[in-house]
Amino acid sequence: QVQLQESGPGLVKPSETLSLTCTVSGGSVSSGTYYWSWLRQPPGKALEWIAYIHYSGNTIYNPSLKRRVAISVDTSKNQISLKVNSVTAADTAVYYCARADYGSSGWLPFDPWGQGTLVTVSS
Amino acid sequence: EIVLTQSPDFQSVTPKEKVTITCRASQSISSSLHWYQQKPGQSPKVLIRYASQSISGVPSRFSGSGSGTDFTLTINSLEAEDAATYYCHQSSSLPHTFGPGTKVDIK
């Protein structure tokens, strides 16, 4: 059973870079058609998809965040990472990593999800 | 970008009642619509995929219907453990988007 665990700094200062890591256990990030994703949820608000990455290096970004984010995969560590540049208070959110799959019917839902990590942007 | 709207925003329901939540897409998304349940302090859990396909391990009281732009999540005979926020999510076109959520409270 695949499990995902996010880790990050908890608190980041405005204008700095936020760095998060998602560690995958019980499975390999290099598995077939799976895409690995980051999503976020500001306190009390809805979910927002940030980016996808395939172990081959193929990446897909949400245009609303594309200029400030970078997703990467480390197959040797079985980890996915996210960097968000020039953060502001609007980037305060619970950040989740999740797995998705792209098959003959298109994109499947996100499943499973990590437990999430709260990142607060504040001086 | 495809915008998803949900109604109602909030619903307070008595146990054993039937709950209906709707999700409307700003343009046709065929059946590429998925439903999630999120309880406080937890990550979302997928309930229904591709509008009406059941997910292994999800109670049978959860069902989905619809296609094109209008979708419905139905909870038959609500149980206390169903108190949560429910989100729809479209995977028809990028960027993938979510609805604003419907909070279901137990009276």
Side-chain angles (χ1 to χ4, degrees), chain A residues 41 52 96 107-110 114, chain B residues 36 38 43 50 87 91 96:
Chain A
Q41 184 173 35
Y52 286 120
Y96 295 99
W107 289 95
L108 276 78
F110 298 105
Chain B
Y36 300 83
Q38 186 178 34
S43 54
Y50 291 118
Y87 294 96
S91 64
H96 294 166

Side-chain angles (χ1 to χ4, degrees), chain B residues 45-78:
Chain B
K45 169 189 167 184
V46 61
L47 297 175
I48 299 288
R49 72 180 199 180
Y50 291 118
S52 61
Q53 293 181 10
S54 58
I55 300 290
S56 175
V58 174
S60 59
R61 62 181 179 274
F62 292 94
S63 63
S65 63
S67 67
T69 60
D70 295 306
F71 302 86
T72 300
L73 173 69
T74 300
I75 311 173
N76 283 300
S77 192
L78 187 85

Side-chain angles (χ1 to χ4, degrees), chain A residues 8 12 22 25 27 42 51 60 66-67 77 79 85-86 96 104 108:
Chain A
V12 182
C22 173
S25 59
I60 308 171
K66 186 175 183 177
R67 290 184 300 116
K77 294 182 178 179
Q79 292 178 334
N85 299 322
S86 305
Y96 295 99
S104 57
L108 276 78

